[in-house]
Amino acid sequence: MSKTLVTTRELAAKIQFSAGYINRVLKDTVFLEGTHYIRPFGGRKIFYVWEAIETELYAHTVRPKQLIPMAAGRVCNG
């Protein structure tokens, strides 16, 4: 089981978000405990799993080429 664990500061440097924004906004909404981050030994320290974060980042950027955006957030499969 080889996973790269990074601290909040290291993650902030990699994805260009502030550490405070990661802790306030992204943690527990986008990044889920057990999938994207862990708390070893039930402590306060948080380690992010870089491979899971990287997968999450790229999952929302790849879109099918045939989608045409429409009003109210809908899309047309052109």
Side-chain angles (χ1 to χ4, degrees):
M1 184 159 87
S2 176
K3 298 190 188 272
T4 307
L5 300 177
V6 296
T7 64
T8 306
R9 284 187 184 171
E10 293 168 340
L11 180 63
K14 285 181 180 239
I15 66 172
Q16 300 299 309
F17 283 99
S18 71
Y21 184 79
I22 292 170
N23 285 331
R24 272 190 332 275
V25 178
L26 299 178
K27 187 173 73 77
D28 295 327
T29 57
V30 177
F31 302 149
L32 304 174
E33 187 171 4
T35 303
H36 300 102
Y37 71 92
I38 61 169
R39 294 175 191 261
F41 312 112
R44 291 177 45 184
K45 185 78 171 174
I46 294 174
F47 288 108
Y48 290 90
V49 181
W50 173 244
E51 290 79 10
I53 301 288
E54 192 172 33
T55 302
E56 188 70 29
L57 289 173
Y58 287 114
H60 297 290
T61 59
V62 179
R63 294 186 181 143
K65 295 180 182 180
Q66 298 292 328
L67 295 181
I68 301 167
M70 300 182 72
R74 297 186 179 133
V75 292
C76 176
N77 295 316

